Every structure is written in C-alpha cells, then in structure tokens.
Amino acid sequence: MKRYDIAVIPGDGIGQEVVPAAIEVLEAAAEIHGGLAFDWTHFPWNCEYYLKHGRMMPEDGIATLRGFDQIFLGAVGMPGLVADHISLWGLLIKIRREMQQSINVRPAKLLRGLQSPLREPKDFDLIVVRENSEGEYSEIGGRIHSGEDQMAIQNAVFTRKATERAMRYAFELAQTRRNHVTSATKSNGISHSMPFWDDVFQAVKADYPATASSSIHIDALAAFFVMKPHQFDVIVASNLFGDILTDLGGAIMGSIGIAPAANLNVERQYPSMFEPVHGSAPDIAGRGISNPVGQIWTGKMMLDFMGYPEIGGLILNATEAALSDGVKTADLGGQATTREMTDAILRHLRKQS
C-alpha cells in the first residue's frame, strides 16, 4: 500500500464545501484501486485566519507544506473581508512562487451530459499550458506622484528559462495527445516581451519537428475559442494570457464551476498544488448548492500527476455519467445540491469497480 501525505487548504467560501466532496471521491477511488491511500492534513489558512493573525498563513507555512507530497487547495478570497491582492499574494501566489510551481495546466473539454453555450462545440478537448511564475504577474513596479499626476508602473518579466520551460512542457504534452501546439502571442502590439516570446517559440519548436504548431494573437485566439475550439489541442500562453483563456475555457464548457487546474513543480523537488478555477464564490457559500465537479476533476489531475491516470480516468467517467443522468447543480441549469452531485458521482464510480 502506497500512502500519500496531502496538505488540504479548503480556503474560503465554497472551497470549504467542495473540498470535502472531492476528498470523498478520492477516497472512494483509492479504495477501488487498492494500492494507494491518502493521509489528509487540513490547514485553516484563509481570509478569516488573516483577520485573526494579520497574515494568510504562518511564517513557517511554506516550510510546513514542503513536507507533503501534494497540496489540495479549495479557493482563496473573500473581498468583503480582505482585499484580493492581499489574500492571493499572501497564500495562493506565495505557494506557487516559493514551491516553484512554474507550470499551470488547465484542460477544457465538452463533458458528456453537458450542453455548451456554443451553438456548435464539436466535442472540443484542449489543454492550456500557462507559464505560472513570471510574465505579466510580476511584483516589479509601483505608484508615484499624487492627484492627477499619479502614475502606476507595472513591469512584465519574461526570462528565457521560464518561457522555454513552459513551451517544452507543452510540446511534450502534445505528443501524448493530438500532437499540435498553439502559441498565444501579441507581438503586433506588445513590442518587447511578445517578440521575445515568439523567438523562443521558434527555437523550441525546431526541436519537435514531428509536432505541428502555430502562433496566434491572443485577441484572435479568444475569438477562436468561441468559434472553433475543437481545432485546438495544446495551447501555451503567458501568465496573464493563460489566465484569461482558461476562464473562457470554463465558460464554453458550460460553467467555470467545473474547470480544474494544476500548479506543477515539474522537477518534483517540491509538492505541486491542485485547485479548481472557480474561486470562492462568496455569493453562494454556505447554501449547499456549489458545484463540486471542478474540485473533483482537480483531484483527478492530482492522481494523473502522481502516476495513477487509470483511476483518474474512472473519476472523470463517473462525473460524466452523473451529468448524463441529468444530475446537475444550479450553475449547470439543474437543481442538485452539492451533496446530491457528489453522491451521484460516487455511485457511478463504485459501479466501475
């Protein structure tokens, strides 16, 4: 029996509802597999913790997390209590940076049982590989002057090392799928960082002559996500472009509530972190109607990364089977509660054992 130590941070809002649901599904999957088990350690780090302690996590929080195999995160943010830039930079982004989780992976596909808001989605199945450590989300910059002369400066930072790492990950991933990589760029409008991005992409793709590739400006690419998402396989994008594209990916699936994500330390020197895209949704927190699919699919991605794609596949199959039965939460047009959605997935998962 292989045991894995998982740090659990339910976080804020609906994170505290969907994380327990996903853990139930992961426990059932482990039982079906028979060769792995989880030891879960919960940490109460969130905005309420900040109000009590003046920080989102303890001073030794990162050192504590480094002792775990993986991190399972719910959602961070309660803007009514704590400003978003404090909550995100104090927990989520802090973990990403200090654990060197340099790659963010977010799939979007048309799940069985769901109707996309697109008129002709044509069974799209794509993955966005987002550079996760720098780019537009740098801390370099500041504000100067005041009044009408006040000025804000924000510097984007692109290093060859991080840019190339993301692109090589995308090409390697594409070789396990449909063997096509699309680069998201904006070199016709952003005159330094994006031509640099394009140059690195040209250099990297030369090492993968058997993999087809293309480069598309981000504004056109966003339009193509709506018009013809089925044409895309793997998309590699900068931190900001990848963030925007993947929210759009959730929307064309039918709800951002079902979108998963993985923050990967590809060198496996530190734990990776798995979190859904949907955020804390404070407007529906505590009502028992949050959609657990995004967190459950995120758990599936954790299993894939840990080397158990077969059991991860069972979880996704069970999720699609439950949706095909018509069990859907309100964001998907249904009336199921979080509990009912979870129970339906568990039933179909156990049928596969």
Side-chain angles (χ1 to χ4, degrees), residues 6-11 41-46 64-65 68:
I6 309 297
V8 181
I9 308 175
T41 302
H42 289 70
F43 295 95
W45 302 340
N46 57 16
T64 299
L65 291 176
F68 289 87

Side-chain angles (χ1 to χ4, degrees), residues 197-350:
W197 176 277
D198 291 348
D199 289 345
V200 177
F201 187 72
Q202 292 297 318
V204 171
K205 81 173 189 176
D207 292 336
Y208 299 88
T211 301
S213 64
S214 59
S215 183
I216 302 177
H217 290 142
I218 184 63
D219 43 351
L221 186 53
F224 293 154
F225 260 44
V226 174
M227 297 169 63
K228 49 183 180 182
H230 59 281
Q231 293 190 2
F232 296 104
D233 181 18
V234 176
I235 298 100
V236 62
S238 68
N239 214 332
L240 175 62
F241 291 175
D243 198 3
I244 294 170
L245 283 176
T246 50
D247 275 17
L248 181 54
I252 65 175
M253 284 195 288
S255 170
I256 200 171
I258 64 176
N263 302 282
L264 302 181
N265 173 248
V266 291
E267 300 83 5
R268 299 178 186 260
Q269 182 180 2
Y270 302 112
S272 294
M273 180 167 61
F274 301 84
E275 51 156 340
V277 176
H278 55 60
S280 59
D283 57 321
I284 63 168
R287 296 169 57 188
I289 61 172
S290 54
N291 190 339
V293 169
Q295 191 80 51
I296 290 167
W297 193 352
T298 294
K300 181 262 188 204
M301 294 184 72
M302 183 171 73
L303 286 171
D304 291 345
F305 186 71
M306 291 164 57
Y308 300 95
E310 70 288 349
I311 196 68
L314 292 181
I315 289 176
L316 191 57
N317 287 337
T319 301
E320 292 185 290
L323 293 169
S324 297
D325 283 349
V327 183
K328 299 171 185 176
T329 47
D331 59 307
L332 297 174
Q335 297 181 330
T337 64
T338 307
R339 180 73 265 163
E340 290 166 343
M341 186 82 245
T342 305
D343 286 343
I345 294 171
L346 285 167
R347 283 196 301 272
H348 282 286
L349 180 61
R350 289 171 175 138

Side-chain angles (χ1 to χ4, degrees), residues 58-113:
E59 287 188 27
D60 63 350
I62 294 296
T64 299
L65 291 176
R66 283 183 177 143
F68 289 87
D69 293 308
Q70 310 296 343
I71 303 166
F72 200 48
L73 176 70
V76 179
M78 292 291 281
L81 298 177
V82 179
D84 277 342
H85 71 278
I86 293 175
S87 60
L88 292 176
W89 283 89
L91 184 63
L92 175 63
I93 296 178
K94 183 178 180 65
I95 294 172
R96 286 178 179 174
R97 298 289 169 90
E98 298 198 30
M99 296 295 186
Q100 298 179 24
Q101 295 166 352
S102 58
I103 302 294
N104 183 277
V105 180
R106 297 184 178 183
K109 64 175 294 187
L110 185 61
L111 297 180
R112 284 184 291 112

Side-chain angles (χ1 to χ4, degrees), residues 37-59:
F38 298 104
D39 293 317
W40 310 96
T41 302
H42 289 70
F43 295 95
W45 302 340
N46 57 16
C47 289
E48 291 184 356
Y49 184 94
Y50 177 87
L51 294 178
K52 292 178 182 178
H53 302 280
R55 55 191 307 131
M56 292 296 294
M57 63 165 62
E59 287 188 27

